[in-house]
Amino acid sequence: MRLSFILILSLAYVTGACQTKSYSKVENYSYPIEKTDEEWKQILSDDQFYILRQQGTEPAFTGEYWDNKKKGTYYSAATGQPLFSSEHKYRSGTGWPSFYQPIDKNAVKEVEDRSYGMVRVEIVDSGSGSHLGHVFEDGPAPTGLRYCMNSASLIFVADGEEPPAIVKEWQDKHAE
């Protein structure tokens, strides 16, 4: 009887925690790219919309890039913004693409995430505030950080390959 009671309480806690997502975006910050949900749905796949715009997570070891070893650049699937370099990617064993730093410190923003009864640091692209994953303090040197990203939130372009239109559009708008 006591075990049943403990199991019921545990299930109630987990269910409640899963239903109380409270993502707080960076306050008083407007992203350069802002779209309605309908506009995002027109340009993103269902999986990308779920992850990028609804803060979802793909199952471990299922994403396209978790084991990618090619050299190149990872861009936001929402904006085409450059986010991570393969030079900073490492095998974390978690089943998601992991990096020890972004390509540029201004490429991403950190947002407090209190979902699922935890306190974590969510990583969003600085171009649109789209969810990419989370950062943890268990990564390798030199930063000690693990940027644990969802493959569906990224577009990978190998060195020497032609980038897709969304990446070219970002490059054209932000050329120095």
Side-chain angles (χ1 to χ4, degrees), residues 65 68 70-75 86 155-164 167:
Y65 305 128
N68 183 23
K70 295 179 183 175
K71 296 203 179 297
T73 304
Y74 294 83
Y75 299 87
S86 62
I155 296 170
F156 176 74
V157 179
D159 288 348
E161 285 185 358
E162 185 73 16
V167 171

Side-chain angles (χ1 to χ4, degrees):
M1 181 70 168
R2 180 182 166 132
L3 181 60
S4 296
F5 180 70
I6 292 171
L7 288 173
I8 289 170
L9 280 178
S10 298
L11 182 60
Y13 172 77
V14 170
T15 302
C18 290
Q19 293 176 351
T20 58
K21 280 188 176 181
S22 60
Y23 293 97
S24 61
K25 292 296 174 197
V26 179
E27 292 195 26
N28 299 323
Y29 185 82
S30 64
Y31 294 95
I33 299 172
E34 293 186 2
K35 299 179 187 290
T36 65
D37 281 350
E38 290 309 312
E39 290 172 317
W40 284 117
K41 286 179 181 179
Q42 289 177 10
I43 63 170
L44 300 172
S45 71
D46 290 344
D47 287 341
Q48 288 173 323
F49 182 80
Y50 168 67
I51 290 167
L52 288 159
R53 303 309 304 168
Q54 296 180 315
Q55 292 80 22
T57 300
E58 63 200 9
F61 303 101
T62 64
E64 183 177 1
Y65 305 128
W66 77 270
D67 198 31
N68 183 23
K69 295 176 180 77
K70 295 179 183 175
K71 296 203 179 297
T73 304
Y74 294 83
Y75 299 87
S76 169
T79 65
Q81 171 185 7
L83 300 172
F84 297 97
S85 168
S86 62
E87 292 178 28
H88 307 133
K89 187 174 188 288
Y90 71 98
R91 188 179 189 120
S92 67
T94 63
W96 290 279
S98 297
F99 306 86
Y100 60 83
Q101 69 185 34
I103 203 163
D104 177 274
K105 66 180 179 174
N106 296 316
V108 298
K109 292 208 169 290
E110 296 182 357
V111 181
E112 182 179 88
D113 174 0
R114 292 184 165 269
S115 64
Y116 305 112
M118 299 180 275
V119 178
R120 299 179 290 172
V121 179
E122 177 187 9
I123 297 300
V124 300
D125 74 41
S126 63
S128 68
S130 293
H131 174 77
L132 304 169
H134 291 86
V135 65
F136 303 95
E137 295 180 347
D138 60 0
T143 66
L145 299 174
R146 173 173 49 99
Y147 288 83
C148 189
M149 303 294 101
N150 290 284
S151 289
S153 69
L154 304 171
I155 296 170
F156 176 74
V157 179
D159 288 348
E161 285 185 358
E162 185 73 16
I166 190 170
V167 171
K168 288 180 182 179
E169 288 171 25
W170 179 274
Q171 290 170 339
D172 290 344
K173 287 180 185 175
H174 298 90
E176 294 179 11

